[in-house]
Amino acid sequence: MDRIRIDKFMGGISAGERDRRVGVCLNIEEIDIFTNPNWIQPETIFGSEAGITRKIQAYDLAEGDTAYAYGQSADGDAEIWSLASASTTNPGTWSSVFESTNDVHPNADMKWHKWASGADYLYYPTISASTVTLRKLGDLVTYTETSVGTLTGVDGTGDRIKIVRAFGELFVLQGNLIANVADDGTFTNAAFTLPTDLTGVDMVIKGNTMYILCKFITGDSRSRIVTWDLAATKGPDDQIDIAMGGPQWIANHNDTLRVCCAFNGIAKFYEVTSFAPVKTHELSDIETETNAQQISPANTVYIKDNILHFGLWRTDTSGMYSIGRTTEDSPLALVLGRRFDTSDYASHTPTAANAFGPNIFVSFDDNGTADTRRIEGNNSPTRSSNSIYESILIDFDDPETIKDIHSIIVLSKIIPASTEIKVDFRVDNAASYDSASLQTLTSTNDQTHNGGQADTFWFREIKSVAGRLVQMRIRFTSSGTSRPQLYSVALFSNSRSTI
């Protein structure tokens, strides 16, 4: 008799059907593997948002726990919303505090910054015709908008703008240039000039160095990271090539640089620790980028509890994805953490996201309609009832024989009433799962084993599952804040020769 037990889920989504890394699977949707390495459970899902009715392009947090959102008004102007006590259990409702007389830039960023004098402002770009202007809004009580300077490296046709706050100053990536607002407020449009064949898409600080992710103006099938010491006005210190085009973002994740590229229907994720970036994950079914919509906008990237989160636009499963480790020595895991809404997530496109304390805020497009959602982390968040785990293809290390799966044992934490775990199978790359193999496990049909705790143990005999390769699917149904939490599934089979 053959037996395999699945009790490791920390590897996340695999790019290969028969990946041998610990705990990998072909698909994880709305499954939380990061909270505790000993079990998996449905992820929290986004709830309704109030106070914002248009597209949000960036979120940032100011002093005093007030969050700001920058986006598009009903007539296309730049508009600012505020939310007091953004990280509390009940953060309340967004309020519109300012609408500019100038249009919002379609691919812009916004940052809050406080100067040594104590004055604090919001910085963001606006556009008029083809002129892009960096503006500031302050004192965040009277909300007066003034011009900081003209950004000559971009226009309104799809160039991306990224603002980084570092060392008491602001740095603004704008096409082939990086502008600077020095610690005395002095604006310099071209504090640094990139090589002429490159245009910047995102940048991040690590140590005392700015790492600038760039694409080639000629449409080269590579991407490039240019490093800048924040002092030179041109001429990179170093350049690191990535063997894929379509650069999306660069992030400093626990002192490790990570890069996302998406091109020709494929997204690849790289770890940059030297001059030879290493691909860690790959996903297919990626949408086609446009000037107005990136595959994974840099303004959707944030880090919460040491996990890197980002929005991703796919043909079938758009949403907020996550990269991280359950423990320091576990494999780097990629999961689809959350959908934006319960509507068809093939029609969702991400625009902005951020987390303030336990609360998460997202902006996305739902089939042509701008929408926003939030999770109030400490305020009874709802759990997903669409969580799915699909194992890799299992052959019990013997692909030449037929495996008859005859029984399974499922172990969980005490399963609450009105929740359930469903398990079914398919074999040899079948187009669909075998309905005859379906097992629905609840608190009313468990077995109490040897006097043990009830609602934690199920033994089931399985019929009609026979093949060289076996794939298992586990689905979770929650009930409000109650959710099932799975420890392990053991599969038992008899093998028979194909000859």
Side-chain angles (χ1 to χ4, degrees):
M1 180 177 68
D2 301 304
R3 182 182 73 175
I4 184 169
R5 184 176 68 177
I6 299 178
D7 59 0
K8 304 285 187 184
F9 307 98
M10 57 192 181
I13 299 172
S14 166
E17 292 183 338
R18 299 175 68 188
D19 199 312
R20 294 297 181 186
R21 289 176 297 153
V22 174
V24 296
C25 62
L26 287 184
N27 182 42
I28 287 182
E29 295 187 22
E30 298 183 68
I31 292 287
D32 176 9
I33 68 171
F34 297 117
T35 297
N36 193 301
N38 297 318
W39 66 74
I40 57 173
Q41 63 186 344
E43 186 59 274
T44 52
I45 62 174
F46 291 107
S48 61
E49 179 68 290
I52 298 178
T53 57
R54 300 299 296 173
K55 176 183 177 181
I56 296 302
Q57 295 178 213
Y59 295 96
D60 202 18
L61 187 67
E63 191 176 62
D65 201 31
T66 297
Y68 288 92
Y70 160 87
Q72 185 181 78
S73 70
D75 59 358
D77 291 336
E79 188 168 0
I80 304 294
W81 290 262
S82 73
L83 177 66
S85 305
S87 66
T88 61
T89 299
N90 296 287
T93 302
W94 291 89
S95 299
S96 177
V97 296
F98 179 78
E99 182 177 342
S100 176
T101 58
N102 302 282
D103 287 346
V104 68
H105 189 279
N107 294 304
D109 194 7
M110 174 201 66
K111 282 291 183 293
W112 169 82
H113 188 62
K114 185 172 185 176
W115 299 101
S117 64
D120 62 337
Y121 299 89
L122 299 177
Y123 288 80
Y124 52 88
T126 62
I127 184 168
S128 177
S130 60
T131 300
V132 180
T133 303
L134 180 66
R135 299 189 183 274
K136 65 179 181 179
L137 185 69
D139 57 2
L140 303 187
V141 174
T142 57
Y143 296 106
T144 301
E145 183 185 68
T146 55
S147 171
V148 179
T150 301
L151 302 175
T152 65
V154 288
D155 56 25
T157 62
D159 294 316
R160 305 181 205 176
I161 298 175
K162 176 68 173 182
I163 305 176
V164 171
R165 184 176 52 228
F167 309 114
E169 302 184 358
L170 293 175
F171 301 89
V172 184
L173 178 61
Q174 42 140 350
N176 190 246
L177 304 174
I178 296 179
N180 172 245
V181 183
D183 54 9
D184 61 359
T186 301
F187 172 77
T188 303
N189 175 59
F192 182 70
T193 303
L194 289 162
T196 56
D197 58 341
L198 299 175
T199 183
V201 299
D202 194 18
M203 63 183 182
V204 69
I205 281 284
K206 182 175 181 285
N208 296 316
T209 301
M210 188 77 79
Y211 291 80
I212 310 152
L213 180 63
C214 305
K215 64 180 179 180
F216 285 84
I217 295 175
T218 56
D220 198 291
S221 58
R222 298 171 294 157
S223 302
R224 178 168 289 173
I225 299 171
V226 171
T227 66
W228 177 38
D229 63 4
L230 306 183
T233 58
K234 61 182 179 179
D237 297 332
D238 282 306
Q239 300 183 89
I240 304 169
D241 275 3
I242 298 174
M244 186 178 184
Q248 301 294 305
W249 48 257
I250 183 169
N252 183 356
H253 178 213
N254 300 334
D255 210 33
T256 297
L257 293 177
R258 302 200 186 282
V259 170
C260 172
C261 295
F263 189 66
N264 285 343
I266 300 293
K268 296 182 180 180
F269 302 90
Y270 295 87
E271 187 172 283
V272 184
T273 56
S274 66
F275 285 89
V278 176
K279 184 187 77 172
T280 60
H281 296 92
E282 179 177 324
L283 292 174
S284 58
D285 302 316
I286 301 299
E287 277 284 5
T288 301
E289 184 169 283
T290 68
N291 283 340
Q293 179 62 53
Q294 288 87 56
I295 300 299
S296 186
N299 285 350
T300 66
V301 179
Y302 66 90
I303 295 172
K304 183 178 185 296
D305 301 326
N306 296 321
I307 307 300
L308 176 67
H309 304 272
F310 55 93
L312 190 64
W313 185 26
R314 300 183 72 183
T315 60
D316 53 354
T317 52
S318 295
M320 291 301 298
Y321 285 71
S322 305
I323 289 178
R325 288 185 166 89
T326 58
T327 60
E328 289 185 1
D329 58 349
S330 64
L332 187 70
L334 168 67
V335 302
L336 168 52
R338 299 175 174 94
R339 292 184 293 170
F340 295 115
D341 193 6
T342 55
S343 59
D344 179 13
Y345 54 172
S347 63
H348 296 165
T349 51
T351 53
N354 213 333
F356 309 126
N359 303 324
I360 304 170
F361 302 85
V362 296
S363 171
F364 67 103
D365 185 278
D366 188 353
N367 198 27
T369 300
D371 205 348
T372 54
R373 289 285 187 269
R374 74 164 71 168
I375 290 174
E376 297 178 16
N378 291 335
N379 192 18
S380 300
T382 300
R383 295 280 176 167
S384 170
S385 287
N386 297 288
S387 300
I388 299 174
Y389 169 96
E390 289 182 299
S391 75
I392 58 171
L393 299 181
I394 302 166
D395 61 15
F396 293 86
D397 291 322
D398 191 4
E400 293 82 17
T401 63
I402 300 293
K403 272 70 68 175
D404 289 304
I405 306 296
H406 59 75
S407 57
I408 61 171
I409 293 176
V410 178
L411 296 176
S412 78
K413 296 189 77 173
I414 297 174
I415 190 169
S418 302
T419 71
E420 62 185 25
I421 298 172
K422 292 182 178 180
V423 182
D424 55 5
F425 297 86
R426 62 180 171 181
V427 298
D428 297 339
N429 296 299
S432 60
Y433 283 86
D434 179 15
S435 59
S437 70
L438 176 62
Q439 302 295 322
T440 300
L441 313 176
T442 70
S443 61
T444 62
N445 64 12
D446 65 307
Q447 283 91 34
T448 302
H449 55 104
N450 297 327
Q453 175 66 53
D455 303 335
T456 64
F457 176 89
W458 296 264
F459 171 80
R460 292 290 186 272
E461 292 185 346
I462 303 295
K463 298 180 180 179
S464 73
V465 177
R468 296 175 182 86
L469 305 173
V470 179
Q471 186 177 11
M472 177 182 60
R473 177 174 63 174
I474 306 170
R475 289 172 288 172
F476 297 80
T477 299
S478 300
S479 175
T481 57
S482 298
R483 77 281 190 191
Q485 296 168 292
L486 177 69
Y487 280 122
S488 69
V489 177
L491 288 68
F492 301 87
S493 77
N494 292 320
S495 297
R496 50 188 169 89
S497 174
T498 58
I499 300 174

